[in-house]
Amino acid sequence: MDIKEYESNVRTPCVDMKNTFQDKATDLEKTFIKMTHLHAGLSPETIEKARLELNENPDVLHQDIQQVRDMIITRPDIGFLRTDDAFILRFLRARKFHQTDAFRLLAQYFQYRQLNLDMFKNFKADDPGIKRALIDGFPGVLENRDHYGRKILLLFAANWDQS
């Protein structure tokens, strides 16, 4: 074995290890960028409030999302149309980062949509009727819960034009 062959044998594992480390660092950077993207537009106060009130932890946010995503295979009967991080995060926040409860809500959401296709076939946020209903305050959610701990949804019928 000559010196060049020896050097190439010795350096290859180091180069491979360096490349592996760089790949892992790149993956971590991508995860950090993705998680930062999920907090884009949120003030530091809102991020802190989410941490305190919703148990949102930026350090394990990706794992929380992935746990909910992993539960999707348990319900092959439901067509989950969206499973991106930002969408799943909405359900985690709605259930204070209890993954099982968030998954249950996500499944109920898509199951309801699946069972009521006619209701959602032309349901678009830019529809003038939908915009008007949202502007008129339809629906409203009270800040406090009822005596059973349930959220209270209000429909402002006086502002609602049924046509």
Side-chain angles (χ1 to χ4, degrees):
M1 176 185 295
D2 66 355
I3 196 78
K4 286 185 181 181
E5 187 178 336
Y6 173 77
E7 285 179 348
S8 70
N9 287 338
V10 170
R11 287 185 184 163
T12 302
C14 294
V15 170
D16 289 346
M17 187 173 218
K18 182 181 174 189
N19 288 340
T20 301
F21 180 75
Q22 286 175 337
D23 290 345
K24 289 196 183 292
T26 303
D27 290 344
L28 287 172
E29 288 169 358
K30 287 178 186 174
T31 300
F32 178 74
I33 289 168
K34 185 186 273 188
M35 296 303 107
T36 304
H37 171 70
L38 293 173
H39 286 119
L42 298 179
S43 68
E45 295 82 17
T46 302
I47 293 171
E48 181 64 10
K49 186 174 183 172
R51 187 184 69 76
L52 294 173
E53 295 180 17
L54 303 179
N55 306 314
E56 185 169 333
N57 181 349
D59 297 333
V60 294
L61 187 60
H62 182 69
Q63 289 137 349
D64 290 337
I65 291 169
Q66 191 58 47
Q67 283 182 328
V68 173
R69 190 177 286 123
D70 291 344
M71 292 181 209
I72 289 173
I73 62 169
T74 66
R75 293 297 306 269
D77 57 313
I78 299 174
F80 292 91
L81 302 176
R82 282 189 65 185
T83 59
D84 55 279
D85 290 352
F87 193 72
I88 291 174
L89 181 57
R90 295 175 190 174
F91 292 86
L92 279 164
R93 286 177 174 157
R95 292 299 179 255
K96 295 190 176 190
F97 278 78
H98 295 136
Q99 292 89 3
T100 305
D101 293 344
F103 172 71
R104 191 175 300 122
L105 182 63
L106 178 71
Q108 288 171 344
Y109 171 79
F110 280 115
Q111 189 172 33
Y112 185 83
R113 288 189 63 131
Q114 194 172 310
L115 294 172
N116 298 285
L117 289 174
D118 55 325
M119 183 187 292
F120 293 97
K121 67 181 172 190
N122 293 320
F123 194 75
K124 296 190 181 359
D126 60 349
D127 180 277
I130 302 289
K131 279 186 176 180
R132 185 71 193 155
L134 293 171
I135 290 168
D136 287 344
F138 175 82
V141 180
L142 291 182
E143 186 175 321
N144 298 322
R145 297 172 180 255
D146 70 4
H147 64 282
Y148 293 110
R150 299 175 297 198
K151 290 198 176 263
I152 301 170
L153 180 71
L154 290 179
L155 306 177
F156 298 102
N159 296 341
W160 184 29
D161 178 7
Q162 299 90 352
S163 64

